[in-house]
Amino acid sequence: MNSTTTLLSLFEEDAKQAEPPARLGMAAAAARLVAYRDTHSDGDELQAHLVVACPFCDHQHIHPAGLASAPRTCPRRSRCVGRPTGVYYFPEVATW
């Protein structure tokens, strides 16, 4: 047996043992609106981000929300980056 055959058989065994990730479904997440000044833009208007507490990976995810004077908030949903089989949505947004 040559080394190429040995490597292929190792990868084949790993592929057989790998299980598909469990579906996490959809869950509500808390979100807050945060205004900021975009230093890379010529406009004087404040921009907004949605900061979401992810129910799947215990991290915060940041989403652009457009202008702070008229943010795009709800209804929205997104997929968790750390656990891609989980989808979260934020039914309401707190403004801070």
Side-chain angles (χ1 to χ4, degrees):
M1 180 183 321
N2 65 29
S3 62
T4 306
T5 307
T6 304
L7 288 175
L8 289 176
S9 66
L10 288 175
F11 288 123
E12 288 171 8
E13 289 173 15
D14 288 343
K16 289 177 189 175
Q17 294 176 1
E19 295 180 18
R23 262 193 82 67
L24 298 174
M26 185 177 284
R32 63 189 162 122
L33 191 63
V34 178
Y36 70 98
R37 183 161 315 279
D38 185 2
T39 58
H40 298 290
S41 175
D42 293 335
D44 290 336
E45 291 192 74
L46 290 175
Q47 299 291 314
H49 278 149
L50 284 171
V51 180
V52 181
C54 182
F56 300 110
C57 70
D58 296 326
H59 288 91
Q60 292 183 347
H61 299 286
I62 299 173
H63 301 276
L67 295 175
S69 59
R72 184 172 60 93
T73 56
C74 299
R76 291 178 71 175
R77 67 180 187 178
S78 187
R79 193 170 299 279
C80 174
V81 176
R83 310 267 316 264
T85 60
V87 176
Y88 60 86
Y89 65 97
F90 17 104
E92 60 184 49
V93 175
T95 55
W96 291 12

